[in-house]
Amino acid sequence: MKFFLDTAIVDEVAKMVDTGLVDGVTTNPSLIAKTGAKLEDTIAAMCKLTNGPVSAEVTATDSQGMIEQGISLRKIADNVCIKIPLTMEGLRATHKLSASGHPVNMTLCFSANQALLAAKAGARFISPFIGRLDDLGANGMDLISDIRLMYDNYPALKTEILAASIRSVGHMREAALIGADIATLPTKVMMDMVKHPLTSSGLDAFLADWEATGQNIL
Ligand code: E4P
């Protein structure tokens, strides 16, 4: 399973890349807006920090505008992935951009049928939003299961499932058990994944016992 960091904060990516856990980055207009930084500067900096795909989202709502913005975003760096919302205009743009060799991440996916359309259009990634479905009282993880089953019925479909809107370590565990290809997660969730109270208390005990021996390694 690949991990993308879901952030528009360049420093967060810079701090995490040396873990070897970061396979790419996803941003969206809301995350960019929160930083106050310029989209181009943020994406360019992130593309230097990772060789993996860095998703940058178009804001045009017509297919021609999406295509033009997408091509413009792709000029920032080779590893920019064009993020396009799951509308009919978005599908048109995805079809054209993908056919020309541009990687597209179709976002704001809330149904398996939308994911099927995205795959037919040639999207490289589909981003089903787990947390936002949970927020409405639905089970977002059911959507990941449905898309996994659907895509596995048609091996010719090469679109990768990018589990998005992840809010907790529980989401990560379930998405991995279902077989999502990728998860995009906030830095806090990545940090939380390593934590276990028995790891902390076990390490404290090992270090105290070692200290008592008076020995040193090397
Ligand atoms: C990633 O591609 C999405 O933009 C992101 O995961 C959305 O997360 P949120 O629902 O927590 O805003």
Side-chain angles (χ1 to χ4, degrees):
M1 187 186 208
K2 289 181 190 157
F3 290 178
F4 292 173
L5 272 186
D6 195 23
T7 183
I9 300 171
V10 175
D11 276 358
E12 285 191 9
V13 180
K15 281 185 187 136
M16 294 306 286
V17 283
D18 72 352
T19 61
L21 299 170
V22 180
D23 300 300
V25 179
T26 54
T27 67
N28 65 39
S30 302
L31 291 172
I32 296 280
K34 271 189 221 157
T35 68
K38 273 197 74 181
L39 169 73
E40 290 83 354
D41 297 344
T42 298
I43 300 300
M46 287 180 166
C47 286
K48 282 190 187 140
L49 289 168
T50 174
N51 293 324
V54 175
S55 288
E57 190 159 339
V58 300
T59 51
T61 52
D62 64 297
S63 62
Q64 191 51 39
M66 289 171 172
I67 290 168
E68 285 165 15
Q69 288 186 351
I71 288 171
S72 165
L73 290 168
R74 286 275 296 154
K75 288 182 181 150
I76 298 173
D78 288 345
N79 53 333
V80 168
C81 180
I82 307 163
K83 206 173 183 195
I84 294 187
L86 229 159
T87 60
M88 195 50 81
E89 287 299 292
L91 288 163
R92 283 195 179 93
T94 296
H95 170 62
K96 294 207 171 93
L97 287 164
S98 299
S100 312
H102 298 289
V104 174
N105 171 4
M106 289 215 85
T107 189
L108 291 169
C109 172
F110 294 97
S111 79
N113 280 335
Q114 288 180 321
L116 188 57
L117 293 170
K120 286 276 289 176
R124 175 156 169 205
F125 305 113
I126 181 68
S127 288
F129 278 33
I130 298 167
R132 292 191 193 190
L133 282 168
D134 288 357
D135 290 346
L136 296 182
N139 183 349
M141 209 53 70
D142 287 348
L143 176 57
I144 304 292
S145 303
D146 286 353
I147 299 171
R148 181 74 283 157
L149 281 171
M150 193 180 256
Y151 281 9
D152 287 351
N153 282 339
Y154 304 100
L157 299 177
K158 298 299 179 202
T159 304
E160 292 183 82
I161 302 172
L162 199 182
S165 188
I166 281 186
R167 307 272 173 78
S168 67
V169 292
H171 278 160
M172 285 301 295
R173 178 179 174 278
E174 287 185 64
L177 286 171
I178 291 165
D181 300 291
I182 310 156
T184 187
L185 61 163
T187 306
K188 182 184 181 308
V189 175
M190 190 179 276
M191 303 291 281
D192 286 347
M193 284 173 75
V194 77
K195 292 179 188 161
H196 195 286
L198 291 179
T199 304
S200 306
S201 59
L203 181 59
D204 288 348
F206 285 159
L207 292 179
D209 290 344
W210 180 250
E211 177 81 20
T213 70
Q215 298 182 53
N216 288 308
I217 297 174
L218 301 182

